């Protein structure tokens, strides 16, 4: 039996055992055991394929009209599975600690762990499925399982609304995906992705362009690109921390996988496709980064940063598309290699940051920046983990975010110089993209500095919150593993290069790869030197701190800092999150919609005055406004139709006929 089929059966058996009438502890143990075993079994074939082994293909007979199902594990699918399955297991381990208080209660935790198993099953189907029905089936399992995981606290109306928002958004994306698949099926008469690829390579033109736009829209909704992102911050704020981590870091990377898979199937893309991907992704990175600055909810902040980082990966894929179009192998290698490496790196540090946010929530029961503060001393492990993840997400060495962004910068700058297909305007445009990407990195650093400083430094802002203490080991261990991966992939970037080499080689198929290899080797050598120097500096700082505060150090006497005349300073005298970023946010007030609620002070000694600043989502706000206007318009049309006006009915019928005729001409062309 194929090892991947065996892994699917183990996961489904584990999900079934989780639903048995047992104690919650046993249900969780069965879920963890089945995930661990399935991950080991699957990795026994995933790792050899990823490191250059032969692809694995197998078939499975099925009933009419679907027919025979085809599966294939190549380097691209192996790359995504190699970290998706282990990270899902780590998320399940974290869930044991996060949901610990429910273990002795009446709540059935087996359903939650069974859904985590089904998420892993969906990865195996999506990343190996060569049949459109199998691919869509795995796609839908992931969507429904994630929705049910999001609404864990379903008694809360806000949580239910966030789950509904996510469910609607992901199924709108499914509609676009099904539309693209149906167009390809009508042209090929086949459900197999390879046949779709043959048709796409042989038929450039309007219909292929339409399929491309449908697919980008669908995958953009899945991965929360701007402006299809509005479900993301709500879902992340509502879901448990491990679910938010898996959704942002792992589950919705399926959209990026599908994008690369269909680009691989399509062969040589048109040049406009590369520029479209770069522009689409750059807007997502810019807007996502800007929105992180104004958020007071830590999990919403991290949600918007996911929109930013999928945009960064998308820029890499757009660069790779330009390389394919211009026949520049170095551009293909750096673009797709950097984009895929950033997908991996983002999974590490984003899960790490969400786990840190979950630890804060477990002890404080809030993630509101304006109510937190002074958590570094009582929660040093969580604070250090958040700091490492924050430096990585800002693209700073020696952490892994720097390595992937460095590859993308290398693609934007020197890899295409002197090539006859690349004109001066293209070179200038790529330079401007690099400048915009640098701005995104600066905004990300500002956002993380704000979050870390407000939450972990200073003093507590709300004395009514529970006393802080470090989270339990079930939560700290997964967070520590991700932090270790973040550091190792930054200090030893050759490991990340080894993981993306196989998928990048697939995209370089048929192109002379000597130039690409030389460029990658030069980039790797530069990154290795930077990583070694940065690691040496970090170790030196750590040694100084250990000598200063470690064992055997002299006792340090502590005294109060001079308070500038204030004997008992108030906690409200320190910077808040809003005051930290207000100057920056005001410069982008046309993009960041800031809503202030205030109560003016009354009397000589006011006690209940306040100013509360929220940054609302402009896209979501406009969307609901349009829906409200559409509802009013529909009511007016319905009222007119009830008046039995024949002119109105005739007008609607004529408009419908014109629309149908236009769609027929678009798809089939003019009649002979």
């Amino acid at each position: 039996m194929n090892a991947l089929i065996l892994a699917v059966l183990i996961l489904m058996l584990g999900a079934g055992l989780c639903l048995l009438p047992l104690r919650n502890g046993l249900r969780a143990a069965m879920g963890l055991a089945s995930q661990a075993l399935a991950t080991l079994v699957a990795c026994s074939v995933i790792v050899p394929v990823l490191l250059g082994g032969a692809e694995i293909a197998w078939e499975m007979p099925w009933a009419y009209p679907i027919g025979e199902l085809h599966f294939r594990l190549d380097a691209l699918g192996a790359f995504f599975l190699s970290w998706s399955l282990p990270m899902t297991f780590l998320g399940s381990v974290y869930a044991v600690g996060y949901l610990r208080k429910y273990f002795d209660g009446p709540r059935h935790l087996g359903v939650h762990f069974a859904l985590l198993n089904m998420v892993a099953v969906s990865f195996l189907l999506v990343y190996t499925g060569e049949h459109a029905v199998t691919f869509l089936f795995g796609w839908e399992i992931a969507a429904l399982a994630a929705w049910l995981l999001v609404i864990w606290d379903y008694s809360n109306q806000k949580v239910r609304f966030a789950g509904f928002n996510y469910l609607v958004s992901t199924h709108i994306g499914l509609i676009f995906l099904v539309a693209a698949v149906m167009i390809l099926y009508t042209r090929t008469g086949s459900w197999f992705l390879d046949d779709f690829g043959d048709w796409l390579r042989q038929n450039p033109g309007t219909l292929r362009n339409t399929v491309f736009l449908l697919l980008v829209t669908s995958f953009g909704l899945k991965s929360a690109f701007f402006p299809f992102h509005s479900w993301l911050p709500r879902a992340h704020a509502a879901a448990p921390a491990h679910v938010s981590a898996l959704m942002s870091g792992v589950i919705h990377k399926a959209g990026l996988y599908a994008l690369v898979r269909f680009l691989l199937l399509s062969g040589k893309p048109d040049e406009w496709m590369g520029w479209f991907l770069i522009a689409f992704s750059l807007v997502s990175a810019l807007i996502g980064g800007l929105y992180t600055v104004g958020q007071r909810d830590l999990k919403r902040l991290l949600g918007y940063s996911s929109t930013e980082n999928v945009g960064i990966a998308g820029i890499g894929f757009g660069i790779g598309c330009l390389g394919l179009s211009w026949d520049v192998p170095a551009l293909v290698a750096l673009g797709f290699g950097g984009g895929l490496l950033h997908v991996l790196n983002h999974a590490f540090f984003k899960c790490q940051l969400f786990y840190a946010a979950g630890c804060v929530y477990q002890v404080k029961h809030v993630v509101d920046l304006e109510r937190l503060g002074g958590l570094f001393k009582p929660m040093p492990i969580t604070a250090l983990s958040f700091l490492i993840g924050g430096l990585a997400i800002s693209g700073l060495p020696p952490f892994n975010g720097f390595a992937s962004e460095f590859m993308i910068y290398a693609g934007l700058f020197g890899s295409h110089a002197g090539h006859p297909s690349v004109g001066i305007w293209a070179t200038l445009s790529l330079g401007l993209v690099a400048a915009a990407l640098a701005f995104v990195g600066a905004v990300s650093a500002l956002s993380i500095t704000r979050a870390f400083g407000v939450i972990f430094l200073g003093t507590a802002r709300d004395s009514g919150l529970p006393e802080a203490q470090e989270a339990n080991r079930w939560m700290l261990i997964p967070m520590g593993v991700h932090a270790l991966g973040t550091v190792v992939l930054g200090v030893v970037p050759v490991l990340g290069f080894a993981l993306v080499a196989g998928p990048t080689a697939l995209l370089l198929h048929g192109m002379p790869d000597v130039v690409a290899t030389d460029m990658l080797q030069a980039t790797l050598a530069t990154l290795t030197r930077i990583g070694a120097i940065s690691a040496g500096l970090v170790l030196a700082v750590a040694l100084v701190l250990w000598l200063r505060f470690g064992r055997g150090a002299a006792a340090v006497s502590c005294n109060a800092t001079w308070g500038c005349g204030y004997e008992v300073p108030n906690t409200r005298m320190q910077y808040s999150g809003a005051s930290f970023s207000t100057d920056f946010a005001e410069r982008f007030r046309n993009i960041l919609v800031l809503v202030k609620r205030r109560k003016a002070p009354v009397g000589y000694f006011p006690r209940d005055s306040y100013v509360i600043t929220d940054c609302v989502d402009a896209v979501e706000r406009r969307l609901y406004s349009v829906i409200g206007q559409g509802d009013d318009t529909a009511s007016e049309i319905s009222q007119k139709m009830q008046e039995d006006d024949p002119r109105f009915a005739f007008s609607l019928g004529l408009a419908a006929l014109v629309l149908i005729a236009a769609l027929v001409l678009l798809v089939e062309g003019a009649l002979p």
Side-chain angles (χ1 to χ4, degrees):
M1 181 184 293
N2 185 291
L4 296 179
I5 297 177
L6 179 59
V8 170
L9 294 177
I10 292 172
L11 288 168
M12 295 184 69
L13 176 62
L17 293 175
C18 288
L19 302 178
L20 293 177
L22 303 170
R23 291 185 293 108
N24 281 327
L26 286 176
R27 291 165 176 159
M30 290 178 179
L32 292 179
S34 59
Q35 278 208 40
L37 181 59
T39 300
L40 290 174
V41 170
C43 285
S44 66
V45 294
I46 291 170
V47 173
V49 172
L50 182 60
L51 297 181
E55 297 180 356
I56 299 174
W58 67 98
E59 301 171 356
M60 182 181 297
W62 206 261
Y64 179 84
I66 295 177
E68 198 170 58
L69 298 178
H70 287 193
F71 298 88
R72 183 178 64 187
L73 179 67
D74 61 4
L76 181 60
F79 167 73
F80 278 85
L81 283 173
S82 66
W83 47 270
S84 295
L85 293 176
M87 287 187 183
T88 305
F89 170 71
L90 288 174
S92 301
V93 173
Y94 187 94
V96 174
Y98 192 85
L99 303 177
R100 198 171 184 178
K101 62 182 180 181
Y102 297 100
F103 270 57
D104 296 327
R107 190 78 183 267
H108 194 310
L109 294 184
V111 175
H112 194 83
F113 287 93
L115 290 170
L116 291 170
N117 274 30
M118 295 310 298
V119 167
V121 169
S122 72
F123 295 149
L124 291 166
L125 294 177
V126 170
Y127 296 150
T128 63
E130 285 293 303
H131 193 288
V133 173
T134 308
F135 181 86
L136 292 172
F137 187 56
W139 193 270
E140 186 65 3
I141 289 176
L144 293 177
W147 167 58
L148 292 171
L149 288 168
V150 166
I151 59 171
W152 162 257
D153 188 16
Y154 60 86
S155 59
N156 188 323
Q157 183 180 0
K158 290 184 178 180
V159 172
R160 294 198 302 271
F161 178 77
F164 177 76
N165 193 350
Y166 166 70
L167 189 65
V168 170
S169 297
T170 191
H171 281 89
I172 291 174
L174 180 65
I175 290 171
F176 282 97
L177 179 57
V178 170
V181 168
M182 293 310 298
I183 291 174
L184 293 170
Y185 176 75
T186 57
R187 293 297 175 177
T188 62
S190 170
W191 291 109
F192 299 131
L193 300 188
D194 283 340
D195 293 333
F196 291 173
D198 292 339
W199 185 88
L200 289 169
R201 284 190 293 271
Q202 297 169 11
N203 294 274
T206 302
L207 199 53
R208 185 175 88 153
N209 295 343
T210 302
V211 170
F212 173 79
L213 292 174
L214 288 171
L215 291 174
V216 169
T217 303
S218 174
F219 304 148
L221 275 159
K222 184 72 171 179
S223 296
F225 281 80
F226 180 88
F228 310 126
H229 69 287
S230 62
W231 61 266
L232 185 79
R234 284 188 178 273
H236 285 336
H242 56 282
V243 177
S244 299
L246 292 178
M247 286 177 66
S248 180
V250 184
I251 296 174
H252 295 114
K253 294 300 192 301
L256 297 175
Y257 161 81
L259 176 61
V260 178
R261 171 63 69 190
F262 275 90
L263 289 174
L264 178 62
L265 291 172
S266 300
K268 186 174 182 178
D270 298 330
E271 183 178 346
W272 74 268
M273 295 179 179
W275 288 116
F276 178 83
L277 275 180
I278 289 175
F280 180 56
S281 302
L282 181 59
V283 171
S284 182
L286 285 170
I287 301 299
L290 288 174
Y291 267 105
T292 61
V293 175
Q295 301 304 311
R296 60 183 293 161
D297 185 300
L298 178 58
K299 293 178 72 177
R300 283 180 66 91
L301 183 155
L302 296 176
Y304 279 112
S305 73
S306 294
T307 296
E308 170 199 335
N309 280 275
V310 295
I312 294 173
I315 291 172
F317 299 152
I319 294 169
C321 284
L322 290 179
L324 290 172
S325 177
W326 293 337
D327 293 320
V328 183
L331 210 57
V332 177
L334 291 172
F336 283 110
L340 290 171
L341 184 57
H342 196 73
V343 170
L344 172 65
N345 290 338
H346 178 253
F348 269 99
F349 58 66
K350 182 48 65 67
C351 289
Q352 176 185 346
L353 289 169
F354 268 116
Y355 291 154
C359 291
V360 172
Y361 180 79
Q362 279 293 90
V363 298
K364 287 292 188 178
H365 307 310
V366 295
V367 284
D368 186 349
L369 270 64
E370 310 297 3
R371 300 182 63 189
L372 296 169
L375 297 184
F376 194 102
K377 290 183 178 180
M379 303 179 68
I381 299 176
T382 300
L384 182 61
S385 179
F386 190 93
L387 179 61
I388 292 173
L391 292 172
I393 204 172
S394 301
L396 297 175
F399 304 108
N400 60 354
F402 173 79
S404 51
E405 290 193 31
F406 187 87
M407 286 186 69
I408 295 174
Y409 277 117
L412 289 169
F413 283 118
S415 60
H416 54 279
H419 198 278
S421 301
V422 187
I424 183 63
W425 292 110
T427 302
L428 178 61
S429 299
L430 292 177
L432 292 175
V433 172
L437 188 57
F439 174 76
V440 170
V443 173
S444 179
L446 169 65
S447 173
I448 289 298
T449 301
R450 167 179 172 264
F452 180 81
V454 171
I455 295 173
F456 294 102
L457 304 181
T459 57
R461 289 172 172 79
D462 190 341
S463 58
L465 297 178
E467 185 177 352
Q469 58 181 352
E470 198 60 87
N472 60 71
R473 293 181 180 179
W474 290 97
M475 300 169 68
L476 294 179
I477 290 174
M479 185 170 63
V481 172
H482 279 272
L484 180 62
T486 298
V487 174
V488 170
L489 288 174
V491 175
V492 192
V494 66
L495 296 178
F497 273 68
L499 293 177
V500 302
T504 306
L506 291 178
L507 292 150
L508 282 166
H509 182 69
M511 301 183 71
D513 59 353
V514 177
V515 178
T517 302
D518 292 342
M519 180 62 71
L520 285 175
Q521 290 298 328
T523 304
L524 177 59
T526 303
L527 278 173
T528 301
R529 289 194 296 270
I530 294 173
I533 295 171
S534 301
L537 291 175
V538 171
L539 289 174
V541 172
L543 179 61
V544 170
L545 292 176
W546 182 80
L547 292 174
R548 179 68 180 85
F549 300 105
R551 294 180 180 179
V556 179
S557 59
C558 297
N559 294 293
T561 306
W562 178 56
C564 302
Y566 291 98
E567 290 295 330
V568 185
N570 192 302
T571 58
R572 297 179 64 185
M573 293 177 183
Q574 57 191 334
Y575 263 79
S576 64
S579 60
F580 191 100
S581 58
T582 184
D583 289 341
F584 181 85
E586 284 295 327
R587 299 179 186 275
F588 295 92
R589 56 181 177 272
N590 293 329
I591 299 174
L592 303 177
V593 181
L594 299 177
V595 177
K596 290 187 177 181
R597 293 173 290 158
R598 57 172 63 90
K599 183 176 181 181
V602 178
Y604 293 108
F605 301 99
R607 293 183 176 275
D608 57 350
S609 59
Y610 58 83
V611 176
I612 299 175
T613 304
D614 283 317
C615 180
V616 299
D617 194 305
V619 173
E620 186 180 58
R621 201 179 195 188
R622 182 58 182 163
L623 179 63
Y624 291 146
S625 175
V626 170
I627 291 174
Q629 294 172 4
D631 185 53
D632 295 339
T633 303
S635 299
E636 293 177 5
I637 293 175
S638 176
Q639 186 176 1
K640 289 183 178 181
M641 293 179 67
Q642 292 175 2
E643 295 172 356
D644 297 327
D645 187 346
R647 293 174 298 176
F648 186 74
F650 177 77
S651 300
L652 287 179
L654 181 61
L657 289 174
V658 170
L659 179 61
I660 293 171
L663 291 173
V664 171
L665 291 175
L666 177 65
V667 176
E668 299 293 340
L671 297 176

